[in-house]
C-alpha cells in the first residue's frame, strides 16, 4: 500500500514537474520585483546625490553625500546574483542579452561597484570637484549597463 | 658646370615655382583648426554620429551601419567618412549643402526625410562650412554601405521628390527678436541641429510630422519604440523638470528620478549632445521648457491617449 501511495505521489509530482513553469515563474516574480526595488532605491540615492553634487543642497561636511554613496556600495554588491538565467520573462525590462553575454554583464556590475567605492573614497577626502567627477563616473557606469542590457519601455 | 646638373637645377626651380602658390596660400583656410573644432560641435549637436556609426563597431566612426527601422522600411545610414568609394570623399562642400539643407543627393535625386534635412535646412552657412571641415579631416574608413531595406514601391526616389514637394521648403533659422540670446541659441540648436522634433513627434500616415503635436512624443518612434513627450505638460510631458534637470539629463543621461536614458537617446547623448558645453545644454533646456505644453501620453494603457496614425 505504501509503495502504491509513493508511486501515485511520484506520478502526480512528476506531472507538476513536467509543467514546472508556474512555480518557477512565481519564484522569478519575487526575484524580479526584488531587484527592481533595489534598482529604484539606487535611483533614489543617485537622484539625491545629483542634487548635492550640483550644489542645490548644502552638504558642507559631505555627510549626506557619504550616506548616499555608502548606500550605493551596499546596494550594488552582488546585485547580479538576482539575475538568474531565464528571469527575462514577465514584468521586466531585462534583456536576454544579459545571459548571452554574462561575462560582460558581470564585469559591468563590478565596474559600477568599483566606481561606487571610488565615490565613497572621494567623499571621504571631501574635495567637491573630485566628488563630482567620481559621481559622473558612477552615472556613466549606470548608463552604459542600461544601454546594453535593459530594454526600452514597452519593447 | 655640367649640363645635366643645370637641367636638374632648372627642374628644381620649376618645381619650386609650381609649388609657390600653395606655399603662399598656406594650409587650406577652409580647414583651419578652429573651424574643424567648431565643426565637431556642430556634428555633436546634430547627432550625426548616433545614426552614422554602427553601435556594434564604434571604432568605425561615421562609417555608417546603424539600421533605422521605420514604419516605411529599414534604412541603413551610409558612410560619411572621406572615403572616395564608399563615403563622401568625392563630395564638395556644396554637395553637403544640397544634402543637408535641400534634401538632395549629389546626383540631384531627393532624399527621404529619414535624413532630417527638414531640420538641418535651418543650419547656418558658417556651421555647414565648419561641419564640412570636420568631416573631410576625419580618417577615411573603407566600409561599404548596406542598401536600404524598403518595400518595392518605396524604392522609387520619385516618391521622395513628391514627399518633398508636399512637405518641405528649404528655409533658414530666423532668431526671434522678442526673445533673449539664450532662448534663440536653444531654438537654433533644437530646431536646426539637434532635430529633437524628428523623433519626439507623432507622424502622419505619409510620414510628415504632426505639427499640432510637435514634440509631444509618439508611441512608435524609430525602431518601433515609444519616444516621450518633451513638451512641458505636467502630467504627460516634462513639465515638472527644471531647466537645470533637463540640462543635466542632456549631459549625463540621468533624469531627475535617478533613472538613465537607454536605447537611441543614450546614443544621442553619448555620441552627440553630451559633448556640448554647459551653456548650450542650458539653452536647449530653456527653449524646450518654453514650448507650449501638449497633453499627450505615449505609454500604453493611458486614458489620455489620442489616436495616432503611427
Amino acid at each position: 500500500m505504501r509503495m502504491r501511495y509513493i508511486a501515485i505521489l511520484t506520478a502526480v509530482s512528476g506531472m507538476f514537474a513536467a509543467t514546472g513553469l508556474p512555480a518557477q515563474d512565481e519564484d522569478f516574480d519575487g526575484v524580479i520585483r526584488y531587484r527592481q526595488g533595489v534598482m529604484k532605491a539606487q535611483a533614489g540615492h543617485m537622484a539625491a546625490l545629483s542634487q548635492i553634487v550640483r550644489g542645490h543642497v548644502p552638504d558642507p561636511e559631505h555627510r549626506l553625500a557619504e550616506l548616499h554613496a555608502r548606500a550605493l556600495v551596499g546596494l550594488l554588491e552582488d546585485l547580479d546574483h538576482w539575475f538568474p538565467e531565464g528571469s527575462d520573462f514577465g514584468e521586466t525590462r531585462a534583456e536576454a542579452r544579459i545571459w548571452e553575454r554574462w561575462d560582460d554583464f558581470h564585469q559591468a556590475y563590478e565596474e559600477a561597484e568599483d566606481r561606487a567605492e571610488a565615490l565613497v573614497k572621494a567623499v571621504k577626502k571631501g574635495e567637491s570637484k573630485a566628488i563630482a567627477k567620481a559621481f559622473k563616473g558612477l552615472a556613466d557606469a549606470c548608463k552604459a549597463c542600461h544601454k546594453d542590457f535593459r530594454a526600452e519601455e514597452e519593447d | 658646370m655640367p649640363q645635366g646638373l643645370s637641367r636638374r637645377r632648372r627642374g628644381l626651380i620649376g618645381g619650386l615655382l609650381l609649388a609657390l602658390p600653395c606655399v603662399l596660400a598656406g594650409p587650406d583656410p577652409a580647414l583651419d583648426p578652429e573651424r574643424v573644432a567648431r565643426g565637431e560641435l556642430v556634428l555633436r549637436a546634430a547627432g550625426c554620429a548616433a545614426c552614422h556609426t554602427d553601435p556594434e563597431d564604434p571604432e568605425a566612426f561615421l562609417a555608417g551601419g546603424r539600421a533605422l527601422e521605420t514604419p516605411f522600411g529599414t534604412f541603413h545610414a551610409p558612410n560619411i567618412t572621406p572615403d572616395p568609394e564608399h563615403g563622401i570623399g568625392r563630395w564638395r562642400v556644396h554637395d553637403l549643402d544640397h544634402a543637408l539643407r535641400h534634401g538632395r543627393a549629389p546626383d540631384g535625386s531627393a532624399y527621404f526625410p529619414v535624413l532630417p534635412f527638414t531640420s538641418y535646412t535651418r543650419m547656418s552657412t558658417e556651421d555647414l562650412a565648419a561641419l564640412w571641415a570636420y568631416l573631410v579631416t576625419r580618417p577615411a574608413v573603407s566600409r561599404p554601405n548596406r542598401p536600404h531595406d524598403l518595400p518595392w514601391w518605396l524604392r522609387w526616389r520619385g516618391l521622395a521628390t513628391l514627399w518633398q514637394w508636399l512637405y518641405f521648403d528649404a528655409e533658414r533659422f530666423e532668431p526671434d527678436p522678442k526673445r533673449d540670446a539664450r532662448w534663440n541659441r536653444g531654438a537654433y540648436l533644437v530646431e536646426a541641429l539637434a532635430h529633437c522634433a524628428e523623433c519626439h513627434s507623432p507622424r502622419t500616415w505619409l510620414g510628415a510630422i504632426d505639427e499640432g503635436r510637435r514634440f509631444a512624443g509618439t508611441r512608435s518612434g524609430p525602431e518601433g519604440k515609444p519616444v516621450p513627450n518633451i513638451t512641458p505638460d505636467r502630467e504627460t510631458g516634462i513639465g515638472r523638470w527644471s531647466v537645470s534637470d533637463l540640462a543635466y539629463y542632456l549631459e549625463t543621461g540621468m533624469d531627475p528620478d535617478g533613472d538613465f536614458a537607454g536605447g537611441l537617446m543614450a546614443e544621442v547623448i553619448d555620441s552627440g549632445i553630451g559633448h556640448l558645453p554647459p551653456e548650450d545644454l542650458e539653452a536647449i533646456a530653456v527653449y524646450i521648457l518654453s514650448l507650449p505644453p501638449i497633453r499627450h501620453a505615449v505609454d500604453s494603457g493611458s486614458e489620455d491617449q489620442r489616436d495616432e496614425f503611427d
Side-chain angles (χ1 to χ4, degrees):
Chain A
M1 181 62 194
R2 193 166 170 225
M3 285 299 287
R4 277 187 210 167
Y5 187 71
I6 290 172
I8 288 167
L9 208 64
T10 314
V12 170
S13 62
M15 275 162 67
F16 275 105
T19 54
L21 279 171
Q24 200 182 32
D25 253 4
E26 242 166 61
D27 288 347
F28 283 159
D29 266 358
V31 167
I32 288 168
R33 275 186 197 169
Y34 172 76
R35 73 187 181 212
Q36 285 172 344
V38 173
M39 294 279 186
K40 276 185 194 143
Q42 289 172 352
H45 288 292
M46 290 297 285
L49 264 171
S50 89
Q51 297 299 332
I52 298 168
V53 170
R54 284 147 75 195
H56 297 170
V57 171
D59 184 27
E61 276 148 40
H62 309 293
R63 275 184 35 238
L64 299 176
E66 186 172 347
L67 170 89
H68 297 296
R70 279 187 184 284
L72 281 162
V73 169
L75 290 167
L76 276 162
E77 200 183 340
D78 294 332
L79 186 59
D80 58 355
H81 175 70
W82 301 106
F83 285 86
E85 186 157 7
S87 62
D88 54 334
F89 294 101
E91 293 292 317
T92 177
R93 288 158 68 189
E95 292 266 29
R97 231 177 279 142
I98 288 176
W99 297 280
E100 289 157 18
R101 290 169 43 198
W102 180 260
D103 288 346
D104 291 342
F105 181 68
H106 180 70
Q107 209 182 332
Y109 250 108
E110 291 205 323
E111 184 66 39
E113 271 186 72
D114 289 350
R115 291 188 185 194
E117 275 161 17
L119 177 63
V120 170
K121 273 190 200 150
V123 166
K124 278 186 169 168
K125 278 193 183 161
E127 204 208 310
S128 298
K129 263 195 182 163
I131 294 173
K133 199 175 164 209
F135 177 69
K136 176 83 169 31
L138 177 57
D140 283 346
C142 299
K143 178 158 51 102
C145 201
H146 284 188
K147 193 160 97 174
D148 286 350
F149 298 110
R150 181 175 72 167
E152 284 175 83
E153 276 168 277
E154 296 172 71
D155 201 358
Chain B
M1 190 183 284
Q3 190 77 21
L5 191 66
S6 157
R7 202 178 294 143
R8 214 185 297 162
R9 269 194 193 164
R10 272 207 300 266
L12 194 68
I13 290 165
L16 280 175
L17 279 175
L18 274 177
L20 198 62
C22 299
V23 176
L24 284 178
D28 185 350
L31 303 178
D32 82 72
E34 215 170 287
R35 184 173 271 180
V36 171
R38 175 175 175 164
E40 179 177 3
L41 281 186
V42 175
L43 174 115
R44 301 291 184 187
C48 311
C51 285
H52 287 282
T53 303
D54 183 350
E56 307 294 326
D57 186 11
E59 295 299 308
F61 189 57
L62 302 177
R66 180 183 269 274
L68 267 179
E69 283 172 41
T70 77
F72 300 96
T74 301
F75 292 87
H76 298 279
N79 185 336
I80 53 167
T81 71
D83 183 69
E85 196 182 346
H86 306 295
I88 57 166
R90 291 189 190 141
W91 286 33
R92 292 291 166 263
V93 65
H94 64 258
D95 293 319
L96 188 70
D97 183 14
H98 280 184
L100 298 185
R101 301 203 293 188
H102 302 273
R104 297 283 164 159
D107 66 4
S109 62
Y111 283 128
F112 284 106
V114 68
L115 171 72
F117 55 83
T118 37
S119 293
Y120 294 157
T121 185
R122 304 184 187 98
M123 189 184 294
S124 71
T125 302
E126 296 76 30
D127 278 354
L128 185 98
L131 179 60
W132 172 254
Y134 179 76
L135 287 176
V136 296
T137 49
R138 292 313 93 203
V141 181
S142 177
R143 178 182 160 137
N145 290 316
R146 256 183 93 178
H148 303 314
D149 189 6
L150 302 175
W152 61 269
W153 52 272
L154 258 188
R155 284 181 209 148
W156 179 54
R157 286 273 174 135
L159 278 179
T161 311
L162 187 68
W163 191 94
Q164 290 193 10
W165 181 71
L166 283 170
Y167 296 113
F168 175 66
D169 287 308
E171 57 180 285
R172 290 290 163 271
F173 175 77
E174 293 294 339
D176 181 345
K178 292 195 289 293
R179 304 279 194 159
D180 65 12
R182 188 168 65 158
W183 185 93
N184 275 304
R185 174 70 181 155
Y188 174 73
L189 286 166
V190 168
E191 301 287 3
L193 300 185
H195 63 278
C196 313
E198 303 283 347
C199 290
H200 285 276
S201 310
R203 287 179 180 268
T204 65
W205 65 279
L206 276 174
I209 286 180
D210 172 357
E211 289 297 337
R213 284 182 288 172
R214 195 172 170 84
F215 297 106
T218 174
R219 269 174 282 147
S220 65
E223 305 180 338
K225 304 278 170 59
V227 186
N229 180 343
I230 53 168
T231 72
D233 181 61
R234 285 180 68 81
E235 301 306 321
T236 61
I238 55 170
R240 290 166 201 267
W241 292 33
S242 67
V243 166
S244 159
D245 288 337
L246 183 50
Y248 195 70
Y249 173 80
L250 296 173
E251 182 195 339
T252 61
M254 189 173 105
D255 71 20
D257 294 329
D259 200 355
F260 284 87
L264 199 50
M265 192 61 201
E267 205 63 60
V268 165
I269 291 170
D270 283 350
S271 70
I273 46 183
H275 295 256
L276 297 187
E279 55 276 15
D280 275 350
L281 296 178
E282 209 174 274
I284 292 176
V286 164
Y287 176 72
I288 291 279
L289 291 173
S290 79
L291 294 168
I294 300 173
R295 193 178 178 84
H296 180 230
V298 295
D299 49 329
S300 61
S302 168
E303 289 171 13
D304 293 323
Q305 235 164 233
R306 284 165 57 183
D307 283 338
E308 281 185 21
F309 273 117
D310 50 11

